[in-house]
Amino acid sequence: MHIARFIVAIFALSLGGRVANAQPPAEHWVGSWATAVQAPEQGNALAPADLTDATLRQVVHLSLGGGALRVRLSNAFGTAPLHIAAAHIARPTANGGIDPATDKALTFSGAPDVTIPAGADYVSDPVAFDAGPSSDVAISLYFDKPPVSQTGHPGSRATSFVAHGNLVGAAQLPNAKTVEHWYEIEGLDVQAAAGAESVIAFGDSITDGHGSTTNGNDRWPDVVARTLRENESTSDIAVLNAGIGGNHLLTDGLGPNALARFDRDVLTPPGVKAVILLEGINDLGGLTFSGEVPLAAHEALVQRIIAADEQIVTRAHAHGILVYGAPITPDMGSDYYHPDAQNEADRQAVNAWIRVRGNFDGVIDFDAVVRDPAHPDHLLPAYDSGDHLHPGPAGYRVMGEAAARAIIDMNR
């Protein structure tokens, strides 16, 4: 497998338990797009009236292509069963439209509708659909009644469309309301060729793409996916974005903490072979958000972050998934956290541990890529979105290219 070869080349690891001469199936399911779900806070939730007798059309951007698709819906944060009265997929056109010639109805155990239990996910039946790599798919859901409580992803950086009536197969949605959020969808899988696999980008707002371009698909995981796809040796590796803005390793921020959501966001998508872990900046900044704390509290937090990283590696390895550690990027001058010298020392301590050979299966050093050589506790101005915490599109581009280059180099 491609990812296995990458890790072997870095650390000469033995991937025990794999049967070298086993013949893989001709095709298998691999996640091509995914998002990390949460309970939307009030300002990012739709009003119940918006989802009463209404069609919600959402556009997602695939990594891998395939001849058959299945959609993963989610009621993970619902407190009551969720009824999806109809669901279709199609190729999107401008302004919330679809190409009717490509429209396909989804079914669930053969039925055109599905009731998803509270707290559960649901996978549609496979449907034949010619989806190319790096293509867009519109997922249209019809709600006869609104969810009692919503499951979604506020930081979609993609426009979704809501219109009243059952319009799942309609070419256009008249008088549609637009929002930049996703709701009740969690993933889209493709039936891919033998050898295809995926990498999960697991992180916070820097992975989620804060500061990237709406509908531009220029987050760093997008750049990794695009760059891998253009190289013959890595063209069958998908990249799934499991970033949540405001996410923490240790405490619930916006969305569940990383340890709490690991199983859903990393172990659920099919075909996952590796994780790129970039988390911890919100834990470090949050320690002193309300004021200074004793040195012992800084030291304890560093150790808890390291322990959480170790937990992620342990849990991933138990499922045959490899983990690349990514040193935390600079945030000095942040308009949000206002870090001081001790916060920077904490970041350096965590990063020193991440870089130690053997703590992870490999290291992708985003810190080294985006920092200012003259002021290494700051983002390089050309890569700064302006808040001194999040990179902008130029910064995400070099991050994605660096990660892809490491994988490509090790697959030659």
Side-chain angles (χ1 to χ4, degrees), residues 229-299:
R229 196 161 48 248
E230 293 168 351
N231 184 273
E232 182 178 358
S233 68
T234 57
S235 61
D236 56 359
I237 299 176
V239 180
L240 310 183
N241 192 328
I244 291 181
N247 199 231
H248 295 227
L249 275 167
L250 301 169
T251 57
D252 292 348
L254 297 179
N257 67 78
L259 290 179
R261 68 187 183 92
F262 177 85
D263 287 6
R264 178 182 303 282
D265 294 338
V266 174
L267 302 184
T268 297
V272 177
K273 296 300 177 185
V275 177
I276 302 173
L277 175 63
L278 176 61
E279 278 266 23
I281 192 65
N282 293 314
D283 299 84
L284 294 172
L287 179 66
T288 55
F289 188 75
S290 300
E292 295 184 4
V293 298
L295 179 60
H298 286 270
E299 295 171 345

Side-chain angles (χ1 to χ4, degrees), residues 57 59 90-100 102 136-138 161 170-172:
R57 182 167 289 167
V59 178
R91 293 188 184 279
T93 59
N95 300 317
I98 60 166
D99 176 0
T102 67
D136 291 339
V137 174
F161 305 84
Q172 298 292 331

Side-chain angles (χ1 to χ4, degrees), residues 374-402:
H375 305 283
D377 55 356
H378 286 70
L379 291 169
L380 188 72
Y383 297 154
D384 194 337
S385 68
D387 65 5
H388 314 304
L389 173 63
H390 301 92
Y396 290 137
R397 186 185 69 251
V398 297
M399 290 172 67
E401 289 172 350

